[in-house]
Amino acid sequence: KVMVFCNTLNSSRAVDHFLTENQISTVNYHGEVPAEERVENLNKFRKEEGDCPTLVCTDLAARGLDLDVD
């Protein structure tokens, strides 16, 4: 599991797009993602057998998330 922190929303979108184009499954966590979808994305990321090992996020994720990552 890997978290990719980005400085801005636009850079987060660009990184997500790049990784997706290179067949790397991602989920997003930033301010423009609705709260319900953020919770769903975190659950996908947390699952051991999940197919989304990469979380692309802004500094919003640095505020209070407790995750195990590499």
Side-chain angles (χ1 to χ4, degrees):
K1 298 197 181 287
V2 178
M3 294 178 73
V4 179
F5 283 94
C6 301
N7 290 333
T8 65
L9 177 61
N10 288 335
S11 63
S12 175
R13 288 180 176 156
V15 168
D16 180 60
H17 181 73
F18 175 80
L19 293 173
T20 301
E21 281 186 337
N22 289 282
Q23 290 78 42
I24 298 174
S25 297
T26 65
V27 289
N28 295 301
Y29 193 90
H30 53 72
E32 287 197 2
V33 175
E36 301 85 27
E37 189 176 337
R38 283 193 301 243
V39 170
E40 184 179 312
N41 287 350
L42 283 177
N43 288 335
K44 288 179 185 177
F45 179 70
R46 282 183 172 135
K47 289 181 183 176
E48 288 298 320
E49 71 281 351
D51 60 346
C52 293
T54 307
L55 178 69
V56 179
C57 52
T58 59
D59 65 341
L60 178 66
R63 301 180 197 140
L65 292 183
D66 183 23
L67 301 170
D68 292 326
V69 295
D70 297 334

